Amino acid sequence: MTDAAQMIFDRLLPPPGPPQAAQARAPGNIALAKYWGKRDPALNLPCNSSLSVSLRDWGSITRVAPAPDRQDAVWLNGERLPGTSPFAMKALAFAGRFRRGLDAPLHIRTTNTIPTAAGLASSASGFAALTKALCAAFGADLDPAGQSQLARIGSGSACRSLWHGFVRWDRGRAPDGADSHGYPLPDIWPGFRIAVIPVDIGPKAHPSRAGMNRTVATSPLYASWPERAEADCADVRAAIEARDLRTLGETAEANALAMHATMLAARPALIYLKPQTWVVLETLWRARADGLVAYATMDAGANVKLIFLENAARDVQAAFPPARVIAPFDPP
Ligand code: PMV
């Protein structure tokens, strides 16, 4: 059987040769206009474009090196994982796409710099850092757009983690996904802030891949999503250009809630939000009625991320003491 994903690696990478040790880092990202639903599950081609902001120094650092003991092995945050761990299996399967049958056992060491207590999934930064490290290890001199196409196959949202700042992922049209990758937006918005309000820091209840596929296959509300999401993505883009936090925030919040509505209507329902998520949202909506200019977004998990400007940071922190505030455009 032809493996369509492998054909992309074969097209973009040079013939496999012995790997060198290499290290790379990549930031996490939060989508302000969400990716939800694949038109091609094997290639992770989305039904709609999305737009994110990267989380500066919250991300992953990955080191890949030839295994001195000639055994594949994976470490996460300093701990050697059993070969049966889903993380290790995914990382090694992805490395296999670079090795293409070459006998080159690897040691892969990933450290997440996203605080565990923030409860953010790190598959985006993890696959982006792994892609960069494997490209360097196998001597693949790809531009970031090429690396983004490979990272996308590891995890869709990873294709936006090749850059800092605002990043758009065009849905693209090409059947092989050659035009479906991230690219950075030129906008620098120093006062832009994002805060994570941790609600649930445990592992995801349902992996997003299975959740997305179930929503597309069974949710009667999904039919309305791709067109609306595409329009939201354009509106978020325009609001960033105009430095219009209100329009950006209103669009991002409505976009996230619409995404969760498609999941709620899936059969059986897919529910990532927890009672505490709604408590945070109601606190936010009350504070907003009292003048706070801040907006919420939620991904495939219960945690809430708030979007606001620097001048609201003190009020956000007062309303939400556990908030961890990130300044995406501060110098490293
Ligand atoms: O990259 P994945 O397959 O984990 O999907 C991520 C989907 C969302 O986080 C819910 C939205 C997004 O655009 O990041």
Side-chain angles (χ1 to χ4, degrees):
M1 198 178 85
T2 322
D3 178 344
Q6 188 59 50
M7 283 165 66
I8 302 196
F9 286 76
D10 294 348
R11 174 166 57 76
L12 291 173
L13 297 176
Q20 310 283 313
Q23 180 169 307
R25 64 186 301 155
N29 74 73
I30 299 294
L32 305 171
K34 308 292 186 193
Y35 146 58
W36 193 248
K38 304 170 202 274
R39 67 179 193 279
D40 182 330
L43 298 184
N44 274 350
L45 295 179
C47 296
N48 62 277
S49 307
S50 55
L51 197 159
S52 59
V53 63
S54 289
L55 299 178
R56 214 178 58 119
D57 48 359
W58 282 22
S60 303
I61 303 171
T62 299
R63 184 177 162 76
V64 172
D69 58 358
R70 308 229 9 104
Q71 299 278 329
D72 277 338
V74 177
W75 285 256
L76 178 59
N77 296 331
E79 188 191 327
R80 185 172 174 155
L81 300 177
T84 50
S85 107
F87 182 93
M89 290 198 303
K90 275 196 250 169
L92 288 169
F94 195 70
R97 297 200 174 279
F98 286 75
R99 279 195 288 222
R100 289 163 284 165
L102 191 76
D103 177 26
L106 293 170
H107 283 184
I108 299 175
R109 290 182 165 80
T110 293
T111 306
N112 287 330
T113 59
I114 300 183
T116 311
L120 290 189
S122 40
S123 73
S125 59
F127 272 109
L130 182 58
T131 302
K132 286 165 82 171
L134 286 165
C135 281
F138 285 93
D141 187 18
L142 286 185
D143 64 9
Q147 293 185 349
S148 171
Q149 281 185 61
L150 300 184
R152 187 197 73 221
I153 290 169
S155 163
S157 55
C159 84
R160 301 185 306 239
S161 270
L162 275 296
W163 299 270
H164 286 283
F166 295 115
V167 178
R168 189 179 141 108
W169 172 14
D170 274 342
R171 86 184 274 291
R173 301 268 159 206
D176 69 351
D179 55 356
S180 186
H181 55 76
Y183 62 88
L185 302 184
D187 307 81
I188 295 178
W189 192 347
F192 188 84
R193 295 287 180 275
I194 189 148
V196 180
I197 319 286
V199 165
D200 178 1
I201 62 169
K204 267 188 210 177
H206 319 276
S208 51
R209 181 181 297 264
M212 252 183 232
N213 293 343
R214 193 206 298 172
T215 307
V216 175
T218 69
S219 171
L221 297 191
Y222 189 77
S224 66
W225 168 260
E227 194 182 332
R228 183 68 253 171
E230 202 62 45
D232 287 346
C233 193
D235 290 351
V236 165
R237 170 80 187 96
I240 290 170
E241 261 179 60
R243 304 290 188 271
D244 176 353
L245 197 273
R246 264 174 216 275
T247 304
L248 192 169
E250 282 171 10
T251 310
E253 190 172 298
N255 175 270
L257 288 167
M259 176 183 77
H260 284 277
T262 69
M263 302 179 194
L264 267 170
R267 301 177 183 204
L270 184 67
I271 304 178
Y272 288 102
L273 309 180
K274 294 269 168 53
Q276 187 59 26
T277 310
W278 296 105
V279 172
V280 170
L281 288 174
E282 284 182 5
T283 307
L284 171 69
W285 294 331
R286 267 199 309 276
R288 204 151 74 210
D290 291 340
L292 181 70
V293 183
Y295 301 87
T297 183
M298 292 79 61
D299 292 295
N303 300 304
V304 181
K305 292 88 175 188
L306 298 184
I307 304 156
F308 50 96
L309 293 179
E310 185 186 13
N311 58 13
R314 194 196 293 249
D315 291 342
V316 165
Q317 199 76 68
F320 303 97
R324 316 270 308 229
V325 179
I326 301 161
F329 295 93
D330 270 10

